[in-house]
Amino acid sequence: MSVPHWYHNSKVPSFRALLIVSAILRIALIVYSDWHDAHSVVKYTDVDYRVFSDAANFILDPGPVHWKEFDNGAKGPLVDWLGIKIGDPYARETYRYTPLLALLLTPNRWIHPSFGKYLFAACDLLNGVLIYKLLISVVLPSTVREPAKAESESDNPTVKVTEALHARATLFAATHLLDPLVFTISTRGSSESLLATLVLLTLFSTLTARWDAAAFLLGLSTHWKIYPVIYGVGCLGVVGVQGRERPTGWGLAYMRTLVNARTIRFTLISAGTFFLLGAGCYAIWGYTFLHEAYLYHLDRLDHRHNFSPYFYLIYLTYPSHFPPSHSTELAVPLIHHVLRSPLTSLVPQLILSLGTGLLFGRQARHLPFTFFVQTTVFVLFNRVCTSQYFLWYITFLPLLFPRVVPSIACGVVWAAVQALWLAEAYKLEFLGEPVFRAVWLRSLLYVIGHAWVLGEVMKGYARDITGRVSS
């Protein structure tokens, strides 16, 4: 491949300069958030951050709490056996995460209340570094052919192509590091960037053939939040081949790539990591950990409005909406059980997210695309969806840009359906207008719009792959 035509006229800053600017931006926002929260009724800091901080304080202060009538100490079997005393983060209502997150934020108490924000912002920066490294080492090299040899280094196209790759990787990494949604959510105190770090490390390890590390990181990611388990399906087809020729079709040869010694080892390490971490947390915090971190999400009835259209079905069939004569579960019509059942959303969600993992997870170079599609359909059909969930798949976009750049129409539709929803949700949340049905209709538009955008990205990626194969 010759030197890219855009390179000669481009003036792209170095990645180091981009990283410094990104760090200064995040530090400035965190400092501003402290000032803003002290002088404004409407806080910049996300309510989740206060939940994390309170949970961390409960870990540091086991014992009676002045506004509660019970002991907030951990009650796991190991604690009882050893007689040690450690606090229970789940004494903080609405804390439904791994206790490891609360442990990580204990420096909020003895260093600075905004320590967690700096940690999440640092994860943002680390994610940018991982994206850049993946682009340089794996993604971009797979999109170019070896340049011709040159007589002198100054005219050497290899050197120029290398410089072009670094410039291009910097541009693509900037779409993450300078994305307002990304740096706003992390500096407000959301922990999504930390999970994104674990997921990107998993992808990095897989693409660089560090299979045991990838399996461990996948297990850790799944412990942190359960949804990354879907990536295991996308990884198996790659792990099972490990550089050998990929069989076509869905026959016995393909099944052998999914079930062999390598995939069994990968699965055992990944599942073992997940269960060992869970067992350790259970040993300290007991059943409360299992319920709040995992079991609660299986039967939660979240009837609060959110982007997912499922909220309205749950709202209409919520138990408190029935008169006393219908208060028992037996008196509630069967259709209401079906509409608010987690399986109503979980079945199509898992079929699509796991199915796309099997369909596209056949070559390592396509894993970023596979993870992107799996995550997008998972979020799209999840029964609860807020703006933070969009980060789950936006993180992979810079890794797709070398092959497909979504059109302006995709960006407009993606943002417009959210804006339409937010405009109607504002009437419900802040003006108290009874516009539940209107919000639900906007939720349907959100699903249709984002599904169309996903389809366009998939078609663009397929055109790029087809074009490269034919050329």
Side-chain angles (χ1 to χ4, degrees):
M1 178 181 177
S2 61
V3 179
H5 66 84
W6 52 265
Y7 173 69
H8 298 287
N9 298 321
S10 64
K11 298 294 182 182
V12 180
S14 67
F15 179 72
R16 177 178 295 180
L18 170 64
L19 206 58
I20 292 173
V21 170
S22 301
I24 293 173
L25 173 64
R26 285 161 172 79
I27 292 172
L29 283 172
I30 294 172
V31 172
Y32 166 76
S33 71
D34 293 338
W35 178 89
H36 178 95
D37 291 350
H39 294 83
S40 177
V41 176
V42 180
K43 306 300 182 184
Y44 179 88
T45 301
D46 194 299
V47 65
D48 283 346
Y49 188 72
R50 293 197 292 273
V51 173
F52 303 156
S53 300
D54 290 346
N57 285 330
F58 278 126
I59 284 184
L60 294 173
D61 288 328
V65 183
H66 66 275
W67 64 87
K68 290 182 179 293
E69 297 298 325
F70 57 85
D71 190 320
N72 76 315
K75 301 174 179 64
L78 184 62
V79 172
D80 292 337
W81 182 52
L82 296 178
I84 60 178
K85 197 170 186 181
I86 185 171
D88 181 8
Y90 302 104
R92 186 7 169 135
E93 294 180 4
T94 74
Y95 183 81
R96 297 187 174 95
Y97 309 88
T98 171
L100 302 184
L101 176 58
L103 284 171
L104 275 180
L105 266 62
T106 51
N108 280 11
R109 170 82 164 270
W110 44 273
I111 292 182
H112 192 276
S114 292
F115 169 84
K117 294 181 183 180
Y118 287 105
L119 173 64
F120 301 149
C123 288
D124 256 356
L125 299 178
L126 178 56
N127 294 340
V129 173
L130 289 171
I131 289 170
Y132 178 80
K133 293 292 186 182
L134 281 170
L135 286 165
I136 288 295
S137 61
V138 179
V139 178
L140 286 172
S142 69
T143 64
V144 299
R145 293 192 294 272
E146 191 70 26
K149 294 183 178 180
E151 295 182 1
S152 65
E153 185 175 342
S154 60
D155 296 328
N156 192 339
T158 301
V159 174
K160 291 185 176 294
V161 167
T162 300
E163 294 174 353
L165 290 180
H166 281 274
R168 206 175 182 195
T170 300
L171 285 174
F172 293 146
T175 63
H176 171 82
L177 289 170
L178 300 181
D179 186 338
L181 183 64
V182 172
F183 63 69
T184 299
I185 286 180
S186 64
T187 56
R188 291 186 66 215
S190 171
S191 64
E192 300 301 337
S193 61
L194 200 159
L195 177 63
T197 299
L198 296 177
V199 171
L200 284 173
L201 284 171
T202 303
L203 179 61
F204 186 88
S205 299
T206 304
L207 293 179
T208 53
R210 297 177 173 89
W211 309 113
D212 289 350
F216 168 79
L217 288 164
L218 180 61
L220 176 57
S221 301
T222 305
H223 168 81
W224 211 267
K225 190 165 286 188
I226 199 69
Y227 86 86
V229 69
I230 63 176
Y231 302 138
V233 175
C235 290
L236 285 181
V238 178
V239 174
V241 176
Q242 291 194 14
R244 296 185 302 177
E245 184 178 352
R246 160 67 56 193
T248 59
W250 298 87
L252 182 60
Y254 172 69
M255 293 304 299
R256 286 174 178 169
T257 66
L258 296 180
V259 183
N260 55 49
R262 291 180 295 275
T263 59
I264 292 174
R265 176 186 176 91
F266 183 89
T267 302
L268 288 176
I269 294 175
S270 181
T273 301
F274 172 78
F275 285 111
L276 283 175
L277 287 171
C281 291
Y282 176 82
I284 298 173
W285 289 283
Y287 177 77
T288 304
F289 153 72
L290 289 179
H291 180 267
E292 298 297 332
Y294 301 120
L295 301 180
Y296 166 82
H297 299 281
L298 296 178
D299 59 0
R300 65 183 290 189
L301 296 179
D302 197 330
H303 64 291
R304 296 293 300 274
H305 59 281
N306 60 84
F307 284 105
S308 172
Y310 286 112
F311 93 89
Y312 193 52
L313 302 179
I314 297 173
Y315 170 77
L316 292 176
T317 60
Y318 202 69
S320 63
H321 291 172
F322 295 99
S325 60
H326 291 78
S327 59
T328 64
E329 287 295 306
L330 294 176
V332 177
L334 177 61
I335 186 62
H336 292 168
H337 283 289
V338 173
L339 290 177
R340 71 175 188 236
S341 170
L343 294 178
T344 303
S345 61
L346 188 61
V347 171
Q349 183 184 35
L350 289 183
I351 289 175
L352 289 171
S353 56
L354 297 180
T356 51
L358 287 174
L359 181 63
F360 300 124
R362 295 188 171 212
Q363 296 181 32
R365 64 193 178 104
H366 297 317
L367 272 184
F369 173 73
T370 303
F371 280 22
F372 169 80
V373 174
Q374 286 186 282
T375 312
T376 305
V377 295
F378 186 92
V379 171
L380 198 57
F381 290 93
N382 201 41
R383 56 183 174 147
V384 178
C385 179
T386 64
S387 296
Q388 295 177 3
Y389 289 29
F390 301 149
L391 289 181
W392 295 358
Y393 59 81
I394 287 177
T395 301
F396 301 114
L397 271 179
L399 302 176
L400 305 187
F401 287 156
R403 295 187 180 276
V404 54
V405 178
S407 65
I408 295 177
C410 287
V412 170
V413 170
W414 187 83
V417 292
Q418 294 177 60
L420 287 171
W421 184 91
L422 289 169
E424 202 65 26
Y426 173 82
K427 299 177 183 178
L428 178 62
E429 183 72 18
F430 293 97
L431 303 182
E433 298 180 12
V435 290
F436 282 94
R437 184 173 297 178
V439 172
W440 175 66
L441 291 174
R442 304 293 177 95
S443 296
L444 294 177
L445 284 177
Y446 145 76
V447 172
I448 295 171
H450 281 209
W452 178 81
V453 171
L454 173 61
E456 291 299 301
V457 172
M458 294 174 70
K459 287 191 290 185
Y461 192 89
R463 283 194 297 267
D464 178 85
I465 296 299
T466 304
R468 293 182 190 278
V469 171
S470 61
S471 63

